[in-house]
Amino acid sequence: MKKSALKARKDAAARLLLRKEAADTQAIVKGIIASDTAALSRAITLVESTRPEDEIRAGEIVEACLKEAASGIRVGITGVPGAGKSTFIEALGLFLISRGHRVAILAVDPSSSLSKGSILGDKTRMQELSRTPNAFIRPSPAGDSLGGVTRKTRESITLCEAAGFDVILVETVGVGQSEVAVHGMVDFFLLLKIAGAGDELQGIKRGIMEMADAVVINKADGPNLEAAKKAEGIFKSALHLYPPKDNGWTPPVMRCSSIEGSGIAEVWEMIDRYAASCHEDGSFETKRNTQNLHWLKQRIESALTSNFYRDPEIQKAYEAYKTKVIRKEITPGRAANALLELYRPDQTS
Amino acid sequence: MKKSALKARKDAAARLLLRKEAADTQAIVKGIIASDTAALSRAITLVESTRPEDEIRAGEIVEACLKEAASGIRVGITGVPGAGKSTFIEALGLFLISRGHRVAILAVDPSSSLSKGSILGDKTRMQELSRTPNAFIRPSPAGDSLGGVTRKTRESITLCEAAGFDVILVETVGVGQSEVAVHGMVDFFLLLKIAGAGDELQGIKRGIMEMADAVVINKADGPNLEAAKKAEGIFKSALHLYPPKDNGWTPPVMRCSSIEGSGIAEVWEMIDRYAASCHEDGSFETKRNTQNLHWLKQRIESALTSNFYRDPEIQKAYEAYKTKVIRKEITPGRAANALLELYRPDQTS
């Protein structure tokens, strides 16, 4: 065979593959919109992939799904290990499904890239829920940065909503800044606590209390009930420290028992009330728009800065300037200017 | 006269001016180191100037002063208008001077660019202190951005320290993110409060309590004393909510009366104790280094992002992409990529 014929054949094969992939992309989108969880899973796998060609396809799929999203609510749930997040989510999820909702459970856990999925990884932790057709559980994506993990979860939310899941529960263990990330992608942010030996308020990460739209004291059952009631009082006066949210909401403190199932309906009614009032005054949509525009800015700014720090010239010079700053040989401002002068971003890309 | 002769003459004049300016720069540095407050004032005026040639000279002066800084302490003081910051600073300043300290008072107030210096602008508010030779009071610099105001105050701190001021008090009214900025340039951050009608904890800006190294209830005198004692209790239990600082410090709550002068010595002893323990465990120097490296990063990253948003191509396209994001025609991630593709920073500068 001649060289030119070989090339033509290769080109044809490449075109065929592209067409096939395009058809496949459309099929996945159609599948998602038809609530096919197999298609949803495949799309999320593409979102989580680090292969550039997958990233492009994932972007197309997510974009096609943007306008198809079910109108529902995204609830972030945080709490230290041991607060009973899995049992709470199982109880809340089963309750919601009994009420006719379709529930997707996602997670942001930047530590899971090390531990290979420390939360939600083991579906046996939500045994009953994972067997329910109207529930979709996806473990935390692996990733080398919180930014990467966050992007994947954000995009997965859109896919789940397009597949008709109207309640999205996003779990986080609160490693690094992961609560801030989850807070920035949900409509309602819930802090789950358990009553301890009087030290309820110790060990709360800085900033968490201010982000919470509600505090729920879990495991308020049996011999724990009294301690839970006490903790409820302590949290109530603690939350009194903060001004109401921008939309006028005052975060309530509630008790529940995921094991007994008590208080779960009340927690949901409270979230429902929140959503209704936010829809009424327009703050629901405003918050989502703000979150999306914030995400846009964040993506841009993190790309600009990470390109800078990855630049070979900058990498060579940066440590030397840091040392000079520490040794008081140069002001931070002049060191910054010198480094910015050195920076010549690649124009050919 | 021939053209070439004219040019030679002009060049000579320019060289002369440069030499004169260089000599002047050195004279200012010498003056500062000799504790000449006139030289200090001139240098701060250069730091606050927006003329590019002044900025270069200011940079040189600040850099020459870096290694000359007196070993002392930088204390940030924040509080709402009405908390009595000026009288507190006057009382604390006079106390410190009686103890042999030299005290510089600076301010960060991004709103002062509008109101032409709303804090410290009027030296009559610290009448006695402003007449004391060992005190140096400088109103908040004007500026169109918090970043600009912050840079100027940071550099003024270095100049004051080189002039032998060993206590630097940095006042802020807490507009925008100014407390965060001040917190990032001081060794100790003090929240000044007054007792009110039981609503002490309301109206505290988010994040302030977590930044405070101490809460001082001011105006604890006369008929206010009982309310101040009550407020002290409330703040003690409020601060109990937060874990100790990274260096193990637990922020205390104290009372004082700037008018009566009571409690001022105790506040200073507490700050002194803090400084001593931080010097002992090395966290004092570590914190300053961290602040300087953070400042370096901040300067770089704010330059990178502001160059991006100022780019004419980006300005043309940005609003359109924002609208597309709101309309759900594109994901924030893909909009960010599209804008980054458009960005061709000027290579000729």
Side-chain angles (χ1 to χ4, degrees):
Chain A
M1 207 181 331
K2 277 184 190 167
K3 263 195 178 173
S4 62
L6 190 66
K7 190 181 175 300
R9 203 181 258 208
K10 271 190 181 172
D11 284 356
R15 272 198 303 275
L16 193 68
L17 186 67
L18 277 177
R19 262 208 303 278
K20 230 184 108 183
E21 282 199 343
D24 196 30
T25 301
Q26 285 190 354
I28 292 177
V29 172
K30 267 194 180 170
I32 291 172
I33 294 166
S35 303
D36 169 7
T37 46
L40 175 60
S41 291
R42 264 197 76 195
I44 295 182
T45 303
L46 286 171
V47 161
E48 292 177 356
S49 165
T50 50
R51 290 172 59 209
E53 58 270 39
D54 288 348
E55 248 173 68
I56 293 169
R57 287 183 65 201
E60 288 165 359
I61 292 169
V62 174
E63 200 148 289
C65 286
L66 269 181
K67 295 209 169 186
E68 305 294 338
S71 74
I73 188 159
R74 305 164 185 170
V75 178
I77 296 164
T78 191
V80 292
K85 289 190 296 299
S86 296
T87 45
F88 175 76
I89 289 172
E90 165 120 336
L92 180 61
L94 290 171
F95 167 80
L96 288 167
I97 285 163
S98 78
R99 289 279 197 99
H101 290 287
R102 298 188 67 221
V103 183
I105 294 135
L106 305 169
V108 170
D109 176 9
S111 71
S112 70
S113 49
L114 301 171
S115 58
K116 308 264 175 209
S118 67
I119 58 173
L120 294 179
D122 188 1
K123 287 197 188 180
T124 56
R125 288 170 59 218
M126 297 182 193
Q127 270 192 325
E128 209 177 327
L129 198 58
S130 63
R131 282 195 299 261
T132 312
N134 281 329
F136 178 81
I137 304 179
R138 184 82 181 193
S140 179
D144 49 6
S145 72
L146 176 60
V149 172
T150 303
R151 177 185 69 75
K152 290 166 189 177
T153 305
R154 274 182 184 275
E155 299 191 346
S156 299
I157 288 176
T158 301
L159 297 174
C160 290
E161 287 175 342
F165 290 96
D166 64 332
V167 179
I168 316 287
L169 305 178
V170 185
E171 179 182 354
T172 175
V173 281
V175 173
Q177 291 291 299
S178 62
E179 296 108 338
V180 178
V182 170
H183 181 257
M185 65 175 82
V186 297
D187 307 309
F188 191 93
F189 193 67
L190 189 153
L191 171 60
L192 200 68
K193 289 292 297 180
I194 40 165
D199 58 349
E200 284 75 16
L201 296 165
Q202 293 296 328
I204 293 191
K205 254 176 88 179
R206 285 170 194 272
I208 285 280
M209 289 284 274
E210 302 188 342
M211 287 195 289
D213 294 307
V215 175
V216 174
I217 323 270
N218 195 14
K219 303 189 185 176
D221 44 36
N224 273 327
L225 186 58
E226 279 315 303
K229 280 184 183 168
K230 214 185 130 207
E232 188 183 7
I234 295 172
F235 274 98
K236 274 186 177 159
S237 55
L239 279 171
H240 174 71
L241 298 179
Y242 302 107
K245 302 275 169 175
D246 293 340
N247 54 12
W249 176 256
T250 306
V253 182
M254 304 180 79
R255 274 177 285 126
C256 78
S257 164
S258 303
I259 306 285
E260 293 180 352
S262 62
I264 298 291
E266 287 77 5
V267 168
W268 185 251
E269 272 155 29
M270 179 266 299
I271 294 176
D272 225 19
R273 209 162 54 235
Y274 174 86
S277 96
C278 291
H279 278 299
E280 204 174 319
D281 66 14
S283 64
F284 196 93
E285 200 57 24
T286 308
K287 187 172 176 180
R288 284 208 177 171
N289 286 341
T290 307
Q291 287 176 336
N292 277 331
L293 294 181
H294 184 71
W295 182 15
L296 169 66
K297 279 195 70 168
Q298 223 175 22
R299 284 292 297 270
I300 288 171
E301 293 172 13
S302 81
L304 290 172
T305 53
S306 67
N307 287 345
F308 178 85
Y309 293 117
R310 268 204 304 256
D311 183 272
E313 288 300 312
I314 297 302
Q315 289 200 331
K316 262 186 262 169
Y318 196 62
E319 287 305 313
Y321 275 105
K322 271 168 75 172
T323 308
K324 279 187 184 185
V325 166
I326 298 286
R327 287 191 187 147
K328 296 181 184 167
E329 291 166 8
I330 191 168
T331 66
R334 277 160 66 98
N337 289 345
L339 284 164
L340 288 162
E341 284 275 323
L342 270 180
Y343 186 45
R344 290 286 171 267
D346 185 16
Q347 291 287 290
T348 56
S349 70
Chain B
M1 204 179 336
K2 278 184 189 164
K3 261 195 180 170
S4 62
L6 189 69
K7 191 183 175 297
R9 205 179 257 208
K10 271 192 181 167
D11 283 357
R15 271 198 303 276
L16 194 69
L17 186 69
L18 275 177
R19 260 207 303 278
K20 231 184 106 183
E21 282 200 340
D24 196 32
T25 301
Q26 285 189 355
I28 292 177
V29 172
K30 268 193 179 169
I32 291 172
I33 294 166
S35 303
D36 170 7
T37 47
L40 175 59
S41 290
R42 265 198 76 196
I44 295 181
T45 303
L46 286 172
V47 161
E48 291 177 357
S49 165
T50 50
R51 290 173 56 208
E53 57 270 39
D54 290 347
E55 247 175 67
I56 293 168
R57 287 183 65 201
E60 287 165 1
I61 293 169
V62 174
E63 200 148 291
C65 286
L66 269 181
K67 293 207 170 188
E68 306 293 338
S71 74
I73 187 160
R74 305 164 187 171
V75 179
I77 296 164
T78 190
V80 292
K85 287 189 298 295
S86 296
T87 44
F88 176 76
I89 289 173
E90 166 121 334
L92 179 62
L94 291 170
F95 168 81
L96 288 167
I97 284 162
S98 77
R99 289 281 195 98
H101 290 287
R102 299 187 68 221
V103 183
I105 294 134
L106 305 170
V108 170
D109 176 10
S111 71
S112 69
S113 50
L114 299 172
S115 58
K116 308 264 172 209
S118 66
I119 59 173
L120 295 178
D122 187 1
K123 285 197 187 182
T124 55
R125 288 170 59 217
M126 298 183 192
Q127 271 191 325
E128 209 178 326
L129 197 60
S130 64
R131 283 195 298 262
T132 311
N134 280 328
F136 178 82
I137 303 180
R138 183 84 183 191
S140 177
D144 50 4
S145 72
L146 176 60
V149 172
T150 304
R151 178 186 69 75
K152 292 166 188 175
T153 304
R154 276 181 182 275
E155 298 191 347
S156 299
I157 290 176
T158 300
L159 296 174
C160 290
E161 287 175 342
F165 291 95
D166 64 333
V167 179
I168 316 288
L169 305 178
V170 185
E171 180 182 355
T172 175
V173 281
V175 173
Q177 290 292 296
S178 63
E179 297 108 338
V180 179
V182 170
H183 181 256
M185 65 174 82
V186 297
D187 307 310
F188 191 93
F189 192 68
L190 189 151
L191 171 60
L192 201 68
K193 289 293 296 180
I194 41 164
D199 58 350
E200 285 74 17
L201 296 165
Q202 293 295 328
I204 293 190
K205 253 175 88 180
R206 284 168 195 273
I208 285 280
M209 289 284 275
E210 303 189 342
M211 287 195 289
D213 294 308
V215 176
V216 174
I217 322 272
N218 195 13
K219 304 190 183 175
D221 44 36
N224 272 329
L225 186 58
E226 281 314 304
K229 280 183 183 169
K230 213 185 130 206
E232 188 183 7
I234 294 172
F235 274 99
K236 275 186 177 159
S237 55
L239 279 171
H240 174 71
L241 297 179
Y242 302 108
K245 303 273 169 176
D246 293 340
N247 56 12
W249 177 256
T250 305
V253 182
M254 304 180 79
R255 273 177 286 125
C256 78
S257 163
S258 304
I259 306 285
E260 295 180 351
S262 62
I264 299 292
E266 287 77 6
V267 167
W268 184 252
E269 273 156 27
M270 177 268 298
I271 294 176
D272 224 19
R273 208 163 55 236
Y274 174 86
S277 95
C278 290
H279 278 300
E280 204 175 317
D281 66 15
S283 64
F284 196 93
E285 200 58 25
T286 308
K287 187 173 175 179
R288 284 210 178 170
N289 287 340
T290 307
Q291 286 176 338
N292 278 330
L293 295 181
H294 185 71
W295 183 14
L296 169 66
K297 279 194 69 167
Q298 224 173 21
R299 285 292 297 269
I300 289 171
E301 293 172 13
S302 81
L304 290 172
T305 54
S306 67
N307 288 345
F308 178 85
Y309 293 117
R310 269 204 303 259
D311 184 89
E313 288 299 314
I314 297 302
Q315 289 200 333
K316 261 186 266 170
Y318 196 62
E319 287 305 314
Y321 275 105
K322 272 167 76 172
T323 309
K324 279 187 184 187
V325 166
I326 298 285
R327 288 191 187 147
K328 296 183 182 165
E329 291 166 8
I330 191 169
T331 67
R334 276 160 67 99
N337 288 345
L339 284 163
L340 288 162
E341 284 275 323
L342 269 181
Y343 186 45
R344 290 286 172 266
D346 185 16
Q347 291 288 291
T348 57
S349 69

